[in-house]
């Protein structure tokens, strides 16, 4: 049998596990909001029209922050449309997704929903078709207590207390030619700097995210980050990363190694940010907000017939409703491992998205809500990764991939929470046919006991949960896990994700 070994050091720490790593993303796109989190006619709807079954699943998923309201949507969005009496809110064209936005759900309703699920709002301003003044107006409306036109308007609209929003995104994917108001790095860097300075003048406590590249495969990647940060370095706290992965041309081997690409992406952005830091002789360090990441079968979407026509702007059409397999879930679990391994610099992240749209949770109008395969590694990582990420040494066999060269067959990360004296070890076996006999060496920890071991795998890596069979795939206890002396041994099935919970 193939063997691998992970040595975990209790003495060396990568960085704290920031709860914001377990964020998600709700965009006004397809059926994420309407017929997703919000469906007033649904049997489980509460008095505000939100589905209780979805609230329960989002709570179980353990989502810390939620980025909102886009995405590409935000670059055409007028925030004022989404507040005030609902029957007076305008219906608008959403050019990003060729849909109609009814504005039935806006800032107040979404903030109320976030209170129900216990998550923090991360708000994006429109820097595609709007600018500094509109961003300031939104910030005044959201965060100023009282006594000004917009804070009073908020109170009049039913919310006396400020929303108190900390995290703000300065636009979305401004490097992408598809983005409304797409700009060069220089032009975006300038407007992002002006907007950031003005927002801080109004509320110095805000944490600001400037747009990095919409993928590491953009032709401007690297130069974009350097140029944007050269304008905004002193004004922002985070630069964003976005990455989506898919299995292409049946190349499962490369797909299972997607986290290798994420590791390299993160490390390149850190290097670029630190280059700007050196050039500016700055003692400030920029963090990464990985605020869009997931498996997304983008090629499928791009090859589909698009919604089109001057008189055809549907409300909440079915868009980007990917159904996820076991292999997809293993990749999602591995991408979380990559984020955690970089916990010293990646301090915020958002799984894109949350409900129906490339999402861990699916719903049917008038019908059930269910967990996709990708739900499980996210929920357990959010639940069990706590305290600090520990330094590890991994000894693993390698395999060849078409996209990323020779990569380790196994990937892993470990966390330790001294307040509860518990640890968690997250493991992935990327082999398509071989079990891996894994040893986790915990020398240095006192008297480890195994609390639990859960694995996501299936003889059929393409198995998935569907409307007709919503519980086909789930987690199973891994009965091979056992403590021996100061090690834990466990067998990792092919194409699998595992978490060991230790006390
Ligand atoms: O998450 C779907 C889309 O992907 C977002 O709207 C956009 O920011 C990205 O390109």
């Amino acid at each position: 049998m193939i063997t691998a070994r992970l040595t975990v050091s209790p003495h060396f720490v990568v960085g704290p596990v920031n709860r914001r790593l377990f964020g998600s993303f709700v965009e006004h796109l397809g059926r994420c909001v309407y017929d997703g989190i919000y469906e007033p006619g649904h049997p489980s709807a509460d008095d505000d029209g939100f589905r209780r079954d979805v609230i329960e699943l989002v709570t179980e998923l353990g989502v810390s922050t939620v980025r909102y309201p886009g995405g590409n949507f935000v670059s055409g969005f007028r925030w004022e449309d989404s507040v005030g009496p609902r029957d007076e809110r305008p219906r608008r064209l959403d050019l990003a997704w060729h849909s109609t936005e009814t504005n039935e759900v806006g800032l107040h309703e979404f903030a109320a929903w976030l209170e129900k699920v216990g998550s923090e709002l991360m708000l994006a301003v429109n820097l595609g078709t709007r600018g500094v003044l509109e961003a300031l107006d939104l910030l005044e409306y959201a965060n100023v207590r009282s006594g000004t036109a917009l804070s009073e308007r908020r109170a009049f609209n039913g919310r006396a207390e400020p929303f108190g929003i900390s995290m703000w995104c300065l636009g979305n994917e401004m490097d992408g030619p598809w983005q409304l108001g797409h700009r060069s790095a220089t032009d975006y860097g300038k407007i992002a700097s002006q907007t950031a300075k003005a927002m801080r003048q109004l509320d110095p406590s805000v944490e600001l995210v400037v747009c990095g590249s919409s993928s590491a495969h953009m032709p401007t990647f690297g130069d974009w980050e350097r140029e944007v940060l050269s304008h905004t370095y002193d004004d922002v706290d985070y630069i964003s990363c976005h990455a989506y992965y898919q299995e292409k041309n049946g190349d499962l081997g490369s797909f299972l190694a997607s986290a290798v690409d994420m590791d390299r992406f993160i490390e390149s952005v850190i290097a670029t940010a630190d280059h700007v830091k050196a050039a500016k002789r700055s003692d400030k360090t920029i963090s990464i907000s990985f605020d869009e990441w997931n498996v997304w079968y983008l090629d499928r979407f791009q090859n589909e017939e698009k919604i089109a026509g001057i008189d055809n702007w549907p409300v909440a059409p079915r868009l980007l409703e990917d159904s996820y397999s076991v292999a997809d879930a293993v990749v999602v679990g591995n991408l979380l491992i990559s984020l955690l391994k970089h916990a010293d610099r990646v301090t915020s992240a958002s799984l894109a998205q949350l409900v129906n749209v490339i999402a861990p949770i699916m719903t049917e109008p008038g019908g059930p809500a269910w967990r996709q395969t990708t739900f499980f590694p996210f929920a357990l990582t959010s639940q069990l990764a706590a305290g600090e990420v520990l330094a590890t040494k991994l000894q693993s066999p390698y395999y060849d991939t078409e996209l990323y060269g020779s990569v380790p067959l196994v990937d892993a990360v470990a966390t330790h929470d001294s307040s509860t004296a518990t640890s968690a070890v997250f493991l992935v076996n990327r082999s398509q046919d071989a079990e891996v006999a894994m040893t986790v060496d915990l020398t240095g920890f006192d008297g480890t006991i195994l609390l639990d071991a859960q694995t996501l795998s299936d003889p059929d890596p393409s198995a998935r949960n569907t409307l007709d069979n919503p519980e086909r795939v789930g987690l199973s206890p891994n009965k091979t896990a056992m403590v021996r002396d100061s090690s834990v041994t466990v067998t990792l099935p092919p194409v699998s994700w595992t978490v060991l919970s230790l006390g």
Side-chain angles (χ1 to χ4, degrees):
M1 193 190 287
I2 294 173
T3 59
R5 185 177 192 87
L6 181 77
T7 307
V8 183
S9 162
H11 306 298
F12 300 105
V13 168
V14 175
V17 178
N18 194 315
R19 281 298 306 157
R20 282 190 179 148
L21 283 178
F22 309 109
S24 186
F25 175 30
V26 166
E27 178 166 2
H28 282 252
L29 189 184
R31 298 192 308 121
C32 188
V33 175
Y34 308 110
D35 279 359
I37 65 171
Y38 178 78
E39 194 187 332
H42 191 273
S44 85
D46 65 15
D47 292 345
D48 298 323
F50 291 114
R51 284 181 64 152
R52 285 198 187 85
D53 54 352
V54 174
I55 289 170
E56 273 166 30
L57 286 176
V58 172
T59 309
E60 181 186 328
L61 189 62
V63 171
S64 54
T65 38
V66 183
R67 184 168 174 256
Y68 176 83
N72 297 339
F73 168 80
V74 82
S75 293
F77 179 54
R78 290 170 250 213
W79 69 267
E80 306 87 329
D81 290 347
S82 78
V83 299
R86 271 175 157 174
D87 53 359
E88 291 171 20
R89 295 184 194 170
R91 291 165 71 88
R92 294 280 189 195
L93 301 180
D94 163 17
L95 302 189
W97 304 106
H98 206 95
S99 308
T100 295
E101 174 53 52
T102 63
N103 284 304
E104 207 174 329
V105 171
L107 180 57
H108 290 253
E109 293 77 21
F110 192 66
W113 181 77
L114 284 176
E115 277 165 28
K116 296 172 202 260
V117 297
S119 302
E120 179 194 355
L121 178 56
M122 177 180 183
L123 201 61
V125 301
N126 174 357
L127 286 190
T129 53
R130 307 190 98 188
V132 182
L133 188 62
E134 293 88 348
L136 282 176
D137 284 350
L138 178 53
L139 180 58
E140 178 188 331
Y141 186 90
N143 282 10
V144 172
R145 183 163 296 280
S146 61
T148 67
L150 291 169
S151 58
E152 293 300 325
R153 193 159 135 206
R154 182 198 67 238
F156 179 78
N157 288 338
R159 170 101 185 195
E161 286 298 303
F163 290 104
I165 300 164
S166 294
M167 291 277 280
W168 295 78
C169 302
L170 300 166
N172 177 69
E173 293 192 347
M174 297 307 301
D175 64 321
W178 58 86
Q179 199 70 218
L180 276 174
H182 158 64
R183 287 162 211 258
S184 68
T186 309
D187 289 349
Y188 171 65
K190 284 181 185 165
I191 193 180
S193 165
Q194 289 163 359
T195 310
K197 284 189 173 79
M199 289 177 77
R200 279 205 204 287
Q201 224 170 308
L202 195 164
D203 181 354
S205 73
V206 289
E207 295 173 68
L208 300 174
V209 185
V210 75
C211 293
S213 296
S214 41
S215 111
H217 305 284
M218 294 296 287
T220 49
F221 172 59
D223 287 340
W224 173 274
E225 280 74 4
R226 183 184 39 72
E227 178 66 9
V228 165
L229 282 176
S230 74
H231 290 277
T232 58
Y233 200 85
D234 296 332
D235 309 317
V236 302
D237 306 287
Y238 300 87
I239 184 151
S240 70
C241 289
H242 290 182
Y244 292 102
Y245 296 95
Q246 61 182 318
E247 184 186 338
K248 282 192 180 198
N249 310 319
D251 181 5
L252 183 56
S254 295
F255 177 56
L256 289 167
S258 297
V260 171
D261 185 72
M262 186 185 248
D263 289 341
R264 292 176 188 169
F265 183 13
I266 292 170
E267 284 151 27
S268 306
V269 174
I270 291 172
T272 310
D274 290 351
H275 159 76
V276 179
K277 173 180 179 169
K280 287 189 174 286
R281 279 83 174 142
S282 175
D283 53 12
K284 169 181 173 182
T285 302
I286 293 285
S287 296
I288 292 177
S289 166
F290 215 120
D291 48 40
E292 286 188 35
W293 68 270
N294 203 350
V295 171
W296 176 10
Y297 285 86
L298 183 58
D299 285 359
R300 224 176 273 160
F301 170 68
Q302 280 169 342
N303 294 331
E304 268 168 17
E305 202 185 321
K306 292 284 163 312
I307 306 169
I310 186 72
D311 294 321
N312 179 30
W313 302 84
V315 175
R318 287 183 187 257
L319 283 173
L320 280 53
E321 299 202 1
D322 283 1
S323 157
Y324 291 122
S325 67
V326 169
D328 296 329
V330 171
V331 170
V332 163
N334 201 168
L335 296 175
L336 281 160
I337 290 173
S338 171
L339 294 172
L340 282 167
K341 282 200 296 192
H342 298 93
D344 53 337
R345 295 298 292 270
V346 183
T347 55
S348 178
S350 308
L351 173 72
Q353 299 191 7
L354 188 56
V355 180
N356 289 332
V357 173
I358 44 174
I361 298 167
M362 296 300 290
T363 70
E364 209 37 44
W370 68 97
R371 300 167 190 81
Q372 294 237 49
T373 55
T374 53
F375 184 100
F376 301 104
F378 189 100
L380 256 74
T381 308
S382 173
Q383 184 192 323
L384 296 170
E388 291 168 320
V389 177
L390 298 179
T392 53
K393 175 86 188 153
L394 178 67
Q395 292 158 278
S396 162
Y398 277 62
Y399 72 107
D400 289 328
T401 64
E402 203 163 305
L403 294 183
Y404 312 119
S406 179
V407 304
L409 203 65
V410 168
D411 201 6
V413 74
T415 62
H416 178 70
D417 185 356
S418 52
S419 70
T420 55
T422 55
S423 305
V425 181
F426 303 90
L427 300 152
V428 157
N429 177 5
R430 295 170 174 153
S431 169
Q432 293 174 52
D433 42 34
E435 290 183 334
V436 171
M438 186 80 209
T439 303
V440 181
D441 181 343
L442 296 162
T443 313
F445 289 85
D446 286 338
T448 300
I449 54 164
L450 181 71
L451 300 175
D452 193 19
Q454 293 286 332
T455 290
L456 185 95
S457 71
D458 197 279
D460 174 10
S462 70
R464 55 199 75 224
N465 293 338
T466 59
L467 175 60
D468 296 333
N469 197 356
E471 293 183 3
R472 162 72 180 80
V473 177
L475 293 160
S476 324
N478 189 322
K479 297 197 174 115
T480 66
M482 63 183 85
V483 178
R484 264 194 221 142
D485 304 325
S486 53
S487 300
V488 182
T489 56
V490 60
T491 303
L492 308 177
V495 192
S496 65
W497 176 91
T498 294
V499 57
L500 306 176
S501 213
L502 307 165

